[in-house]
Amino acid sequence: MNKVLEDLKAVPGVSGVLLLNKAEETTYQLLPATFSIETIKSIAIRLLQVSYYLKPDTRFNLAFASGAAVLQNLEKAALLVFIKGPVDALIFELV
C-alpha cells in the first residue's frame, strides 16, 4: 500500500495522499507535516461519510483557496489526493 501512496505523492504537484479502507475504517496516508492527527481523523470521518453516498468510480475535483483535491470513490476504498500547483494530468492518470 505504501508503494501506491509513494507513487501518487511523487507526481509533481501532489502534496499529499490519504487512502481510506471503508470495510476496516482505517487510513493510509502520506501527508504534509502540517496535518495534525486530529485533522487526519476529521478528514477520514468525513471521507467515510461522503463515500457511502457516492457510486463506485465517482470522482470529484475540489478547489480550495490554498490548493485542490481529487476525491476518487472506489468500491472498497476512497482516495483523497491533495494538490498544490499544476499537475500533469497524463502522469496523474497513469499513476
Side-chain angles (χ1 to χ4, degrees):
M1 186 61 61
N2 287 337
K3 177 67 172 137
V4 172
L5 297 178
E6 289 171 5
D7 288 348
L8 274 169
K9 189 148 182 329
V11 174
V14 172
S15 63
V17 182
L18 185 140
L19 179 77
L20 171 71
N21 179 322
K22 294 181 196 177
E24 297 175 9
E25 295 185 2
T26 56
T27 63
Y28 306 89
Q29 68 267 341
L30 280 177
L31 297 168
T34 56
F35 282 71
S36 68
I37 297 297
E38 294 79 25
T39 300
I40 295 169
K41 286 180 184 178
S42 177
I43 292 170
I45 290 168
R46 296 288 183 216
L47 185 56
L48 183 63
Q49 292 169 338
V50 168
S51 69
Y52 282 120
Y53 292 102
L54 302 174
K55 294 180 183 178
D57 296 323
T58 300
R59 179 183 281 186
F60 284 106
N61 294 313
L62 309 166
F64 304 102
S66 61
V70 175
L71 166 59
Q72 177 74 44
N73 192 43
L74 307 168
E75 186 175 332
K76 296 182 180 183
L79 180 66
L80 189 60
V81 180
F82 294 94
I83 298 170
K84 196 162 195 137
V87 173
D88 186 326
L90 293 175
I91 295 174
F92 183 77
E93 290 298 322
L94 180 64
V95 173

